[in-house]
Amino acid sequence: MSHDPQPVPPKAPGHPLGAASARREGRAKVTGAARYAAEHAPPHRVHAWPVPATVARGRITAVDTADALALPGVHAVLTHENAPRLEQAEDPAVAVLQGPAVPHRGWYVALAVADSLETARAAAEAVRVTYDAEEYDVTLTADHPDRYLPKEVNGGHPGTRERGDFDAAYAGALVTVDATYTLTALHNHPMEPHASTAWWDGGHLTVHDSSQGSTKARDDLAALFGRDRRDVTVVAEHIGGGFGSKGTLRPQAVLAAMAAQVTGRPVTLALPRREMPAVVGHRAPTLQRVRLGAGADGVLTALAHEVVTHTSTVKEFVEQAAVPARVMYTSPHSRTVHRVVALDVPSPSWMRAPGEAPGMYALESAMDELAVLLDLDPVELRLRNEPATEPDSGRPFSSRGLARALREGADRFGWRPRDPRPGVRREGDLLLGTGVAAATYPVLIFPSSAEAFAAPDGGFRIRINATDLGTGARTVLGQIAAEVLGAPEERVRVEIGRSDLPDAFLAGGSSGTGSWGWAVHKACSALKAELSRRQEPLPQEGVTVSADTREEIAAGTPYARHAFGAHFAEVQVDTVTGEIRVRRMLGMFAAGRILNPRTARSQFIGGMTMGIGMALTEHSTMDPVVGGFAERDLASYHLPVCADVHTIEAHWLDEDDPHLNPMGSKGIGEIGIVGAAAAVGNAVHHALGVRLRTLPLTPDAVLPHLP
Amino acid sequence: MKPFAYLRPATVEEAVRARATHPGSAFLGGGTNLVDLMKLGVSGPELLIDVGRLPLDRIEELPDGGLRIGATVRNSDLAAAPAVRERYPVLSQALLAGASGQLRNAATTGGNLLQRTRCLYFQDVSVPCNKRRPGSGCPAVEGVHRDLAVLGHSAHCVATQPSDMAVALAALDAAVEVTGPDGDRTVPVTAFHRLPGEHPERDTVLEPGELITAVRLPPPRPLAHGHYRKARDRASYAFALVSVAALLEVRDGVVHHAALAYGGLAPRPWRAAAAEEALRGAPATADAFGRAADAELSAARPLRDNGFKVELARRLTVSVLARLAARHR
């Protein structure tokens, strides 16, 4: 990131909301004072190390723990034969050590617990597991015989939607695009691995967990261990990223709690990086066929988006990649279909913008193909397909800033004048090109509750079980409270990240600020009203007001609510090596009111950078020979590094949407990745003159197409 | 990690003696690879003999105009040394193309030569690997092998040698100075790494107990230009898909001297003798460079998914040589 093209504006005095406030915990983090889940060391703490299955499918026939238990300092080795029995799990992926079945390679089959991390690791390596290995199938194909139509896909969307008569409209279209895009599996790989420190105190379980939502984690742990939720506390104070992979309870929390139960000691378990790809979810690979039919004016008459993906035999999770096609463009005749096959692979799960990220890569690439076919500017093509209402539902948009984002983004980027001819801009060995793609992400809001407290000394405190993944949630909630209370931010304390705080939804679906902020806003508004009613000074114990947003959110909305955006990218393709690098990238977003430009910018460019990785470098290969993911460390799983990200800018429109929440905000955590890979891919086509439809665009993929 | 003892000898003699008396011991340099392998269970020495602080950290001028690089000179220091930057830029470029700043600060010259393959199967003790467990098999032949060898591999092992530095040293005709229980010897870098054949477990010709003390560079050819170019998946912190180290001296439009070595293609830095032979006396043109590359690469035996390396190596060869030739005009 060579420079910051958009200096953070100075804080507006008296108006905390919209100010570029610095992260409240920033100093604690950079000085090492902030403690993460594995860094909590209660007295007598011991360490655990898991044992992953080495077969892709089968049954455990024997576990020999004698050598492991003989090591000095080993407290226990848990296996399916001796581990505590769990109650029925809502998510079968966390029902660990409950039986001999191995559903995929890397599934946990034992856990060693010892005085030191090193001994636990040595003990785990000394556990001998014997399997009855079975035939396995880990290879996704478009015509896999076991594929089926799921009723629902992730997010609760119907698996299939048909409007009008796609086949007839497509057959009658003047211009058609029929293209299939292939996306590999991807992994979230947050900086902080999934980790827990757990202990039992009498009948009470406390877990420091690297979790995106400790309210739900608490409820799930209580259910699994057959306890009342009051008997479980989950703390998630600081989280080193999650990108969706920590949105659900993960095996480390369950294993740590089990081990603590068995040993009577606090237990820390941090998942080894190499084991994470098998047990904390991944973005499932998708094979996506997009067909577009249009008139000579480029207006779509027919749109089909058909997705084939995989899930595991453990549970059904269907990446909803065809769902954004139900939102984006006018399309009187439309078919959006998901097909899924259950393979002997690890369970897929949420990864930043599930559905939208892969789906918009395919749809926005296909739109670019249509623009090229029609010799129409791709920005203009999108403007011509702006729908009056949400295509699939017919509902009006609460606001739809796509057209403005495209226009203003194009101006800022210097999109025009643009020679549309592909493969003609040379700079030495380099071919240059530019590309555009649209972005969308739904506005999701979930019920949450919060407490606001006024102290007699004029200070305030808000309490809510929000989670700060590093995004700035703590900071922005303080800004919301300060704005409502008319108080300086530094007079508002913010307590988040503990399940004994008022219940709140997890940090996921870009819903945090809207959901939590609404509850904070409501509590602070009530507190302010209460304070203005009072004549006398506050009592010694202060005044506390609680609020929750169940009613407001249950009331629903007649509007289709989405954030939109536009990505512009300039790439270079090295005609000697096929190496592609992004020279500059600009995102223009329409996401309601931006509450903190400093933290928002980080979210946007973080998402865009992840999109560059999706386009150019990241891939998780399902290795058919051993039946597991191949790249399992940060040397082989290629996240973009600083040298891959040159000039990157994020801008946003001032959007005034009264149909969202009291702050007028839309979620911004995910939209940055949506469409980013398509903008890069479209720029590659413009540079190279060849359409490459399989990601990532590594040199080996590009080489056969070089001039 | 298994428990191990740690020894920090003060002299080379002490280090070699300790290694000879402890069969389960290993020398530790910067530790950037060995410590990883110990954590992975790939390597399990009972005794680590830390040679990283032996007094071998100097770069000396040799009477013949060459350089003698001590085995513990850090990669960062070597890349930044004025003598290297000015007289052997290909080496400096290769070093800076490798790893990350932090790793280069720790990695030593001797250790860099001894780093092990990053083949994913080699690093995973739960799967077979002939290099790690002789006779257990090689899943890479049918499995994930995009990054693996197209030259010099055998039915038993298709791993590549990952060092960038070694590729430049091979092109520079560097030699490795070794000491051991049986005395001192010098091995050309090009003969230092073994081809796997039936014994992929042995990466190099080092005998048990031998220690690298220095790398010697012959005097630079005053009229030759050199360049290192590496193609990779991301702009930094990635191993070479293919890299080329080239030295070229052109007189009157004709190649007078050429030295060429490849990284990422083989189990060792691949000195391209056939290409050099084809270049000698040839016109310094893209066509001739392409023919020279073909002369070398016709021996390639790519696997299912790594045939692109042959084309990539050819393109890099032509591009790098053409660039060097242009400097002679």
Side-chain angles (χ1 to χ4, degrees), chain A residues 162-170 291 300-304 330-335:
Chain A
E162 295 260 4
R163 262 186 299 109
D165 184 346
F166 168 78
D167 291 319
Y170 185 74
R291 282 176 289 170
L300 295 176
T301 51
L303 189 169
T330 187
S331 51
H333 303 282
S334 158
R335 172 182 297 155

Side-chain angles (χ1 to χ4, degrees), chain A residues 149-383:
Chain A
L149 290 163
K151 203 161 161 315
E152 254 188 22
V153 295
N154 180 49
H157 302 278
T160 301
R161 289 283 294 163
E162 295 260 4
R163 262 186 299 109
D165 184 346
F166 168 78
D167 291 319
Y170 185 74
L174 190 67
V175 184
T176 59
V177 169
D178 181 351
T180 297
Y181 305 91
T182 305
L183 275 74
T184 175
L186 297 169
H187 277 95
N188 315 51
H189 275 312
M191 184 98 78
E192 183 203 15
H194 295 60
S196 296
T197 297
W199 67 90
W200 293 83
D201 191 353
H204 192 96
L205 171 66
T206 301
V207 184
H208 285 269
D209 190 29
S210 184
S211 165
Q212 292 177 222
S214 54
T215 299
K216 181 76 165 73
R218 173 203 59 195
D219 293 352
D220 290 349
L221 282 168
L224 283 171
F225 287 87
R227 306 284 161 147
D228 190 282
R229 46 190 271 183
R230 283 169 304 195
D231 294 333
V232 180
T233 304
V234 178
V235 187
E237 191 186 3
H238 298 295
I239 308 299
F243 311 109
S245 69
K246 297 172 181 171
T248 56
L249 191 70
R250 289 298 180 185
Q252 87 282 350
V254 181
L255 289 169
M258 278 182 173
Q261 199 169 30
V262 168
T263 61
R265 306 277 286 266
V267 174
T268 291
L269 170 57
L271 297 189
R273 175 72 57 186
R274 294 176 62 78
E275 296 175 8
M276 287 166 57
V279 294
V280 299
H282 62 275
R283 192 194 300 289
T286 48
L287 314 171
Q288 306 183 49
R289 183 183 186 194
V290 180
R291 282 176 289 170
L292 303 176
D297 56 0
V299 175
L300 295 176
T301 51
L303 189 169
H305 193 162
E306 293 164 282
V307 176
V308 181
T309 186
H310 78 205
T311 187
S312 69
T313 61
V314 177
K315 65 174 179 181
E316 184 189 270
F317 177 96
V318 186
E319 182 87 19
Q320 73 273 33
V323 165
R326 299 171 186 170
V327 174
M328 281 303 293
Y329 298 117
T330 187
S331 51
H333 303 282
S334 158
R335 172 182 297 155
T336 45
V337 185
H338 302 82
R339 293 181 178 84
V340 65
V341 52
L343 299 174
D344 303 309
V345 297
S347 298
S349 180
W350 299 329
M351 179 166 164
R352 206 172 201 168
E356 275 77 14
M360 286 290 277
Y361 166 70
L363 180 61
E364 289 300 288
S365 298
M367 286 296 278
D368 199 67
E369 299 206 36
L370 180 62
V372 169
L373 213 57
L374 289 163
D375 196 18
L376 194 60
D377 182 82
V379 171
E380 175 62 23
L381 174 68
R382 286 169 173 86
L383 295 175

Side-chain angles (χ1 to χ4, degrees), chain A residues 28-115:
Chain A
K29 281 181 174 168
V30 299
T31 55
R35 283 194 296 168
Y36 294 78
E39 297 174 319
H40 291 271
H44 312 297
R45 172 181 73 152
V46 293
H47 297 266
W49 195 276
V51 180
T54 55
V55 298
R57 180 190 165 107
R59 292 180 79 75
I60 302 166
T61 53
V63 189
D64 179 356
T65 59
D67 289 352
L69 288 168
L71 290 172
V74 174
H75 288 255
V77 176
L78 275 60
T79 72
H80 72 281
E81 291 167 348
N82 65 359
R85 295 300 95 187
L86 299 169
E87 302 293 325
Q88 183 75 37
E90 180 189 314
D91 176 0
V94 296
V96 281
L97 309 186
Q98 299 300 296
V102 174
H104 61 76
R105 188 180 178 87
W107 176 260
Y108 284 140
V109 295
L111 183 78
V113 190
D115 283 337

Side-chain angles (χ1 to χ4, degrees), chain B residues 21 26 30 38 54 65 74 92 100 119 161 177 183 190 198 206 209 216 238 245 248 252 280 285 291 311 319 325 327:
Chain B
T21 46
M38 290 168 68
L54 289 178
R74 307 290 151 168
S92 185
S100 64
C119 173
Q161 201 287 138
E177 291 185 10
T190 49
E198 294 188 1
L206 276 189
R216 216 163 51 207
L248 187 70
D252 303 325
R280 210 161 294 132
T285 61
R291 279 195 298 275
E311 172 66 9
S319 172
R327 287 209 239 157

Side-chain angles (χ1 to χ4, degrees), chain A residues 430-431 433 570-575 577-583 612 615-617 643-644 646 680-681 683-685 687-688 690 692 694-703 706, chain B residues 232-235:
Chain A
L430 305 175
L431 282 170
E570 179 182 350
V571 304
Q572 63 181 48
V573 181
D574 190 313
T575 58
T577 61
E579 292 168 297
I580 298 171
R581 305 285 181 247
V582 175
R583 291 189 153 198
I612 292 172
L616 299 182
T617 61
D644 289 303
H646 292 265
V680 172
V684 170
H685 173 264
L688 185 61
V690 179
L692 301 173
T694 299
L695 297 183
L697 302 174
T698 45
D700 52 319
V702 179
L703 211 54
L706 293 175
Chain B
R232 47 183 153 179
D233 280 345
R234 62 181 168 189

